[in-house]
Amino acid sequence: MLRRVLCTMFFMGALPSPAEMSQGHISVVLLGATGDLAKKYLWQGLFQLYMDQVSSGHSFTFHGAALTALEPGQKLMFDVLKKLACPPDEAPDRCAVLKDQFLKLSQYHQLKTAENYTMLNREIEVLLRQEGLKEAGRIFYFSVPPFAYTEIARHINSSCRPPPGAWLRVVLEKPFGHDLESAQQLAAELTSFFREEEMYRVDHYLGKQAVAHILPFRDQNQEFLDPIWNRHHVERVEIVLKEVVDAKGRTSFYEQYGVIRDVLQNHLTEALMFLTMELPANLSRTEEVLQCKLQALRSLRGLEKHSAVLGQYQAYASHVQEELKKGQDYISTTPTFAGVLVQSDSLRWEGVPFLLTSGKALDERVGYVRVLFKNRAYCTQSETLRDAGHSQCKAKQIIFYIGHGALNTPAVLVSRNLFRPVMPKSSWREVVGQPELHVFGQPLSDYYVYSPVKERDAYSVLISNIYHGRKDFFITTENLLASWAFWTPLLNSISRQPPRLYPGGVENQNLLDFEMVSGELAFTAAEPVELLHPDRSMPSDFKTIQSKFRQSPLVSMWSEDLISQLASDVEKAANRAVAGSGQFHLALSGGSSPVALFQRLARHHYAFPWRHTHIWLVDERCVPLTDLESNFFSLHSHLLQSIRVPYFNVHPMPVHLNQRLCVEEDGGTELYAKEIAALVANSSFDLVLLGLGTDGHTASLFPDSENGLEGTRAVVLTESPIKPHQRMSFSLPLINKARQVFVLVVGKGKHDITTQISRVGQQPRKWPISGVSPSSGQLVWYVDYEALLG
């Protein structure tokens, strides 16, 4: 059969002479050949590859494979192949011949057992021997669910590899795991069968023409872009994929993955990398491109819960109940819409917001990457008196238009008041006319607009790159794991967060609009009451389990929300104190619990009155202040170095005097007590923040402590049961003079002591925390759900 096809092609003038046919034979095996992806895209992509490469010197055979038995599988596959189409510019006669030959070169196999793979291998070897052809390589395209990857990989590795001298390329479709741990496990399994250079992980967005052209565009326009492609000139970047369809028919997948795993972690992140990575010296060097991408990924700032806004279209719950046979009371927290604020710590992009947005049941189908530049111009004259297209007061932007939407085609748009871009004439042509079209509020005439000379499907582009061995269009193991390492903490933090409900389509109006506030995202409009289910009960809906804990007010939430609330309450206390007395005296305890609070205050509370705040230490370990164990070192690392607090308003404990640590005769405790008495009215702090140890200690006051639980001394030396043993600490009497005391308790590890403390009376010798009872102030407990409920 292969010989007959080759002869026909010689007569058609489509192939070089047999003497020129020296590059060998390629076998393409499509696993999942009768599935949806294969029907919609992959067979057409393979046919396009055949049309493009039929004169390249390689010969081909195409093997469709699935679990279905031979006869029904063969029928299903050939029903698809008969509908394959040539591009409009292909001559009808040549198209008919090529299609006929492609069908003759294609065959179906049932691949279910190890014997099936052995038989396929034998058939390929026999065919090549009969035709006198040398094998160049094999492509195995895994269009199957990831749970099947390992078994298939084992069979290919053991009995279906090409002979030495021929290459193997294994193509894998997402999802590549559910989080970092599952991605690591899947990667480890695949790596045990295939080498890194043999694996091609597909993200079909890398085959979208506008996305694929971002790097070449940057490279070809360096002269114009170098001065402005940075934080000094870029205001923000938007990477958007909107869909009008809902998740109906895919709820089983969506319940496992949701919109962030489905779209943002892969498609939008890849586009983000093309924008933010440093350009390699040579774009054609795959290794350099991949290394630059990896560096860009690793420079991204970690995401927090408040880096995202989440939504779910209103009918999603009923779709899940219907398709997955769930009860009417089933509640899903799966987001079908997400907006995420991503920031980079690289020198080039620090401070620039990258907004990644995607969702289902939205108002339009469109995808784009939009780079919006800062505009410092102010134009005095009316627009009508100037060339509007080149006006410096118009928005300045570069848009990589992925498709659909108003333009309905891939395109690259550059504001005319920026520069005329260099574009490769062989593959992109300038578009003129269409004055009625507007993009981001501006007529098309305000842009230089380019569209592809020949529009190509993303899978055709990627299959061509697989054939050519272009690895930079695919996801390496290292890049994949770096991406999951970036996204997994956010996914974990929002796993219980109820998304905002939205009606879907044009009815959404401004319900999903969001804004950036102090490095966080928040919806601009309140959620309408009619969209909320009165019986919707979720953990984050109740902000307080009970209003009291040990007869004092209790605030309880998930830990991130709790820290956010605590930071806000500290700021309110500061503003009240400054309004009343002109200064705020804040005493902070050490340990790991307050670190998240310090970071929160540093990153999000820019209006905090630090200039009028005095910061004191509740307790300190008897180590040098530069030691990693030092409470002051932790406070400095996570808070002080990031805020503008006057140097003389910071009061570390004097644990290191006369080149000695916490020696009684050096009088460090008396020195600190005198400093407090001199600066803090009545030695009554405005706010003292405490933690709780698993043994019931607070500050550095431990059970059965000889010092600090009673008496008149304000600051004492104590002994800790764990290293470093020596400590300096506020005494209970000093703590109880405070106007407000906040106790922060977080984590499952604190559940047992929290339960115990809730039941005991005032027994400070046994549980020092139980002795905290401000004489004329207020005590508030901040306990997260894990500490409270276990």
Side-chain angles (χ1 to χ4, degrees), residues 2 17 28 134 396 424 448:
L2 181 56
S17 69
V28 182
K134 181 185 175 186
K396 298 178 178 183
Y448 297 110

Side-chain angles (χ1 to χ4, degrees), residues 9 120 136 203 221 232 265 322 346 360 365 386 393 523 533 557 662 669 692 703 711 716 729 745 748 752:
M9 298 312 292
L120 170 63
D203 183 323
N221 291 278
H232 301 296
Q265 180 271 328
E322 177 190 336
S346 71
K360 292 190 172 294
R365 184 185 183 191
R386 286 178 287 105
C393 286
F523 285 117
H533 298 306
M557 307 175 187
C662 293
T669 55
L692 170 62
V716 295
S729 178
V745 189
K748 277 186 182 176
D752 290 346

Side-chain angles (χ1 to χ4, degrees), residues 420-495:
R420 176 185 278 277
V422 175
M423 296 290 284
K425 289 186 172 62
S426 60
S427 51
W428 292 83
R429 63 167 180 261
E430 189 167 3
V431 176
V432 290
Q434 298 177 290
E436 73 285 355
L437 279 182
H438 282 65
V439 177
F440 298 112
Q442 291 180 260
L444 221 53
S445 58
D446 280 3
Y447 303 95
Y448 297 110
V449 184
Y450 299 84
S451 67
V453 170
K454 186 176 182 179
E455 222 174 299
R456 295 197 64 177
D457 167 70
Y459 277 99
S460 296
V461 172
L462 292 175
I463 287 170
S464 173
N465 285 320
I466 294 161
Y467 165 80
H468 286 105
R470 285 289 306 273
K471 285 281 288 184
D472 48 324
F473 278 81
F474 300 88
I475 317 301
T476 64
T477 302
E478 208 172 11
N479 277 273
L480 172 71
L481 298 182
S483 175
W484 274 120
F486 173 69
W487 285 101
T488 298
L490 175 69
L491 290 164
N492 289 341
S493 71
I494 62 171
S495 60

